[in-house]
Structures are given as structure tokens and as C-alpha cells.
Amino acid sequence: LLDEFIEAVEEVFPGALVQFEDFATANAFRLLARYRTRACTFNDDIQGTAAVVLAGLLNAGHLTGVPLARQRILCVGAGVAVGAADLIAAALRRRGVADAEARNRSWFFDRHGLIVQGRPGLPARQQPYAHAHAGAADLVEAIRALRPTALVGLSGQPGLFGDPVLAAMTESNARPIVFAMSNPTSQAECTAEQAYRATDGRVVFASGSPFGAVEWAGQRHAVAQANNAYVFPGLGLGVVACGIRRVTDAMFLAAADALAAATAPPELEQGAVYPPISRMRDVSMQVAEAVARTGYHEGLAAVPEPAHLGEHIRAAVYEPAYPAYAGG
């Protein structure tokens, strides 16, 4: 069915961008691998999430003083989070880190515990992140053993980051990074207020669900929303406006860099590792331009490169503004 669908789209709408959404994890990775070199397509759950995680970690590094190459990331949930680990590894390789060390920066914890070498039945996509280490069935135990700088929740398990988990993150980090990315709010691993309370205000926090600002010790902390909507509209705009024929990992690296750079210094000072949702349209333009420039660099654009790329892309943006009609 999907083979026929992709063929039909390419026949009826040549150059169309196809985005896979909400496929079961095993199918999502398989289908992305099958079509990414045959059609203009991407999977937002895997690749959009990855770019958002990477952008947040880049900005979190500015706040903690721990650059990406020195971070150790523990992902809770080993489904689409593997895509984030793959993009983090690609970003580290771009910085000159060897592949084995780049992959060693990311670890996974699932419902069976810490993923380590020797666990039977691991899918191929998880095997590069099954490192040599003793197992741990308890999340607090895993945190104390690994001493991660960042805890990324993509588990869909509400309340999983309870006080003992958050306290364990403070034991080895002056400023622990905690991203509770599962949404909706009912599935969040923890709330913003819980994270600040349990870490005595030291946390660098982001969430997939919207939370209001947190007042702690007389200081206002903005709560950034780690949402894929920062990436996929801009990526789609850049691809379509410039006739890009394939969507590549380099474009998601560019999107992550653009998203990180879009966060203003005053926003970072308040603890926000992403710009506010209210600036989404401007952020999307920045992401679109970064993606398009990458497409031109890789020789994948069908449209000749404009002298003013930003203006060309903005001209393709739909503006939901309507004229006012006088009654009569």
C-alpha cells in the first residue's frame, strides 16, 4: 500500500514532500529507511524530535557550562529517542568526535531497565547504544551509576521523574538538565514546578507540554516547550520553496542549529532553552532558510539559488490575514 501511495504521489504531485506521522516505532524506523533515499520524505516523530532535543541540549550547554561533547545523555524510552541519539552522534562527529565515542554519549533506559551489552532481543537500531556496563533495573540506580548530565524523557509514563529521580540528578550536577518531553500534560514525566522544587531551583528544564513560568527563590524561570512544531513547519517550507528533492540528516542538524540560535540571550538567562511559542513563525523562517541553504550545499535543490534566499522563502509563506468587509 505504501509503495503504491508513494508512487502515486510522485506521479500526481511531482516533488511533493511526504511526512510520516504516528507510525508504530518499529514501522516508523523501517519505513524511513525504506523511503528516505527514494522519495522526498521524513518522519517528524523520529527526526523532528531529534532536532528539538539536540537544539535544547546545545542551549542547555550554554547554561551549564558543559558542551555537547562532554555531556552524557540518559534517554528514558528507547523508541523514537533513538533518532535523537543518532542526530546527537552526527553532531558530535561533525565536531571531530570519533563515532564510537559519539555514540557513547547517549544511553537508554526502558521498561526493562538500562540497555546494556548482552541484553537479548535488542532491535538493530538500539544495539549501537547498548554499552558495556552493569545492568540497572531502577532509574535512580541507573542515574547514580552513569552520572548523566542530561535526562531526556520520551517514555509516555506520567510522573516517572519523581523526587528521588530528580534528586539523583543533582548529586553529580551543579545544574542538571531535565527534559520531560512526553505529551500531553497527562503523560509528562514531571511538571516544571516539581523539577524546580526537587532540585532546589538548579534544574535546566524543558517540557513537551506547556507549563507556566515558575517562581523559585525570588526568581522567575521561563519554562521552554520542547515541541516538534519548532522544526517541521520550517523544514517543510524550506524544502518545498526551493524544490529540494531529498531530506537529509544534515538538514536536521541545520534545523537544530537554527532553533538553538533563535533563542535570545534574555530568554536563555531566564532558563529557557527554546524561544517562546509566540515567535514560532519567525523561528520557522530561520529553520526554513537553514534547511534550504543545506539543500543547495548538498546539490539537492531544483530551484536555482536566489540572490536573497530569505526573501524567496518568505514569499512562499501563507499569511492567514483576511480583509475586513464593511456591512451594507
Side-chain angles (χ1 to χ4, degrees):
L1 172 63
L2 281 170
D3 278 345
E4 292 181 5
F5 173 78
I6 294 294
E7 290 173 7
V9 167
E10 291 182 328
E11 178 181 344
V12 180
F13 304 109
L17 171 62
V18 177
Q19 198 277 104
F20 290 121
E21 178 77 16
D22 285 343
F23 281 82
T25 300
N27 294 331
F29 279 93
R30 177 175 57 82
L31 293 172
L32 178 61
R34 179 177 178 83
Y35 293 111
R36 65 183 306 173
T37 59
R38 296 167 49 185
C40 185
T41 186
F42 73 100
N43 184 297
D44 179 56
D45 296 317
I46 297 172
Q47 297 166 291
T49 299
V52 171
V53 171
L54 176 57
L57 290 174
L58 292 172
N59 277 342
H62 296 312
L63 295 174
T64 64
V66 182
L68 186 68
R70 287 175 34 219
Q71 290 197 33
R72 175 173 285 188
I73 303 118
L74 178 58
C75 298
V76 184
V80 297
V82 175
D86 287 343
L87 195 67
I88 291 166
L92 290 173
R93 288 194 297 269
R94 190 174 59 174
R95 289 162 170 78
V97 178
D99 182 65
E101 175 60 21
R103 293 187 181 276
N104 199 46
R105 296 290 91 196
S106 294
W107 295 67
F108 286 89
F109 187 96
D110 65 8
R111 66 182 184 275
H112 301 298
L114 189 65
I115 292 180
V116 295
Q117 278 185 10
R119 185 199 282 191
L122 282 178
R125 63 182 179 275
Q126 294 177 359
Q127 291 174 11
Y129 304 102
H131 308 303
H133 199 279
D138 178 76
L139 183 54
V140 171
E141 177 189 355
I143 291 170
R144 287 178 172 157
L146 294 177
R147 299 168 66 88
T149 58
L151 185 66
V152 177
L154 286 161
S155 68
Q157 298 298 311
L160 186 62
F161 295 173
D163 286 1
V165 168
L166 296 166
M169 286 294 296
T170 68
E171 292 174 5
S172 56
N173 296 289
R175 298 206 67 187
I177 301 166
V178 177
F179 292 172
M181 294 184 63
S182 295
N183 56 50
T185 307
S186 61
Q187 292 183 296
E189 286 84 3
C190 69
T191 67
E193 186 174 349
Q194 288 170 332
Y196 279 98
R197 174 178 49 76
T199 63
D200 197 25
R202 293 156 54 186
V203 72
V204 176
F205 181 79
S207 58
S209 301
F211 290 105
V214 174
E215 298 287 340
W216 185 264
Q219 187 174 358
R220 183 181 186 275
H221 299 275
V223 179
Q225 192 173 345
N227 195 302
N228 291 13
Y230 285 116
V231 171
F232 71 81
L235 183 134
L237 172 62
V239 167
V240 172
C242 298
I244 294 173
R245 294 185 292 274
R246 297 289 183 270
V247 182
T248 66
D249 286 341
M251 294 173 193
F252 285 98
L253 289 171
D257 287 340
L259 174 55
T263 309
E267 294 160 354
L268 272 173
E269 289 171 7
Q270 289 193 0
V273 293
Y274 302 102
I277 293 289
S278 60
R279 292 206 288 112
M280 182 71 71
R281 289 176 69 82
D282 289 338
V283 173
S284 293
M285 278 298 308
Q286 294 174 59
V287 169
E289 187 167 348
V291 167
R293 289 195 186 282
T294 303
Y296 281 110
H297 177 74
E298 294 186 306
L300 293 171
V303 175
E305 186 168 3
H308 303 286
L309 181 59
E311 294 178 9
H312 170 79
I313 292 173
R314 188 169 293 278
V317 173
Y318 170 70
E319 296 286 349
Y322 300 90
Y325 292 94

